[in-house]
Amino acid sequence: MVLAGGALAPAAHAAPFAAPAAQAAANPYERGPNPTVSSIEAVRGPFAIAETNVSSLRVTGFGGGTIYYPTSTGEGTFGAVAIAPGYTADKSSMAWLAPRIASQGFVVFNIDTLTRSDQPASRGRQLLAALDYLVEESSVARRIDGGRLGVMGHSMGGGGTLEAAADRPQLQAAIPLTGWNLTKSWSGVRVPTLVVGAENDTIAPVASHSKPFYNSLPSSLDKAYLELDGAGHFAPNTSNTTIAKYGISWLKRFIDDDTRYEQFLCPAPQGDRNISEYRDTCPHS
């Protein structure tokens, strides 16, 4: 099913996987027009997208899910992102975010976990299994650049995001959303990481979760900490422009190496009433 939003897919006679020469010379991974505040805050980006469901019976290592992907092939292959839900939740809890990211020029796999009680370490392994399936077996594998992959997740899925980043340093980006994990030190992570916490989170309080996570990441790492003003633990489960805006910018900057999005991350956002605290290691490497 093709979803509304953004540019139409190119005509059938367009040369597949052919990026414009001018863009290719500067950065072959840039996708889409020059970004603006309006474009990254939009509910849908410039790419028309489609979706396909993957049954848990067809995969191993995770619980299946829904893949969202750009219908266009005229700009080349895309980076890919896997998203995991939190404790007791399923993919519906992140269904607002996955197509929003895909419409900005990514293949996004919004997954279900094997069981709703899976702990962070298991969720981390499942995120990696989902990425492997995307790249190696999925119906959209040819649309994906297997060297440009990232992970996201909410709550225990956020804790799993950190686990996946620690286990696979080849990833390009990680974004734990109000993450929960009993492990507080992530000094071994080598993946650019945006930690998103919520000021009024009582389930994974920032003082004992998101802030220690961020502080433990290497100081040499490209990393940032974004705290949602007045928000609670379940803020990532409903449409949230702040999460989308900075999440998309992070994925673009580090999965696509698209420095056009650096303007939204460095210098640190100022005057955004939806952010109670922001830390970073700007300038990015």
Side-chain angles (χ1 to χ4, degrees):
M1 179 178 64
V2 176
L3 304 181
L8 297 175
H13 63 269
F17 309 119
Q23 282 195 345
N27 175 10
Y29 306 132
E30 287 184 5
R31 300 290 180 266
N34 290 333
T36 64
V37 171
S38 295
S39 74
I40 60 172
E41 289 183 345
V43 174
R44 287 293 180 268
F47 289 90
I49 61 173
E51 64 179 86
T52 182
N53 289 313
V54 179
S55 169
S56 62
L57 301 177
R58 294 177 52 195
V59 300
T60 57
F62 65 105
T66 302
I67 302 170
Y68 301 87
Y69 60 95
T71 58
S72 167
T73 56
E75 291 193 53
T77 53
F78 298 93
V81 184
I83 304 177
Y87 184 67
T88 76
D90 62 19
K91 65 179 182 178
S92 65
S93 65
M94 302 305 294
W96 71 271
L97 182 59
R100 193 162 175 167
I101 293 172
S103 70
Q104 295 284 347
F106 293 98
V107 175
V108 183
F109 202 174
N110 186 30
I111 72 167
D112 278 323
T113 47
L114 292 170
T115 76
R116 296 195 181 197
S117 60
D118 291 333
Q119 298 298 296
S122 174
R123 290 170 192 264
R125 291 190 294 271
Q126 292 180 59
L127 282 166
L128 296 179
L131 288 177
D132 291 342
Y133 172 83
L134 266 183
V135 172
E136 298 168 6
E137 302 178 55
S138 77
S139 61
V140 298
R142 294 185 64 185
R143 298 175 183 266
I144 299 169
D145 180 344
R148 297 190 289 123
L149 306 175
V151 286
M152 300 179 70
H154 172 240
S155 191
M156 284 195 181
T161 296
L162 291 166
E163 300 274 0
D167 290 344
R168 189 172 294 182
Q170 298 87 356
L171 295 175
Q172 301 298 304
I175 306 179
L177 303 170
T178 62
W180 189 100
N181 200 311
L182 293 175
T183 300
K184 308 303 179 186
S185 178
W186 299 96
S187 59
V189 169
R190 299 294 181 266
V191 179
T193 302
L194 169 63
V195 177
V196 177
E199 184 181 25
N200 295 336
D201 192 337
T202 59
I203 295 174
V206 293
S208 57
H209 288 79
S210 291
K211 286 184 177 179
F213 298 161
Y214 174 81
N215 291 335
S216 72
L217 294 167
S219 59
S220 58
L221 185 68
D222 288 318
K223 63 177 183 174
Y225 171 73
L226 187 160
E227 186 173 293
L228 301 167
D229 185 67
H233 184 67
F234 297 102
N237 291 158
T238 56
S239 183
N240 187 300
T241 296
T242 304
I243 290 173
K245 174 181 181 179
Y246 294 102
I248 289 165
S249 296
W250 195 264
L251 298 173
K252 284 285 192 176
R253 175 63 181 82
F254 293 104
I255 290 181
D256 288 354
D257 195 26
D258 193 337
T259 56
R260 296 178 300 171
Y261 289 80
E262 184 79 352
Q263 63 183 301
F264 308 114
L265 302 169
C266 292
Q270 299 291 327
D272 189 330
R273 295 182 179 180
N274 297 306
I275 299 175
S276 56
E277 184 176 350
Y278 194 94
R279 307 179 191 179
D280 61 62
T281 54
C282 292
H284 293 133
S285 58

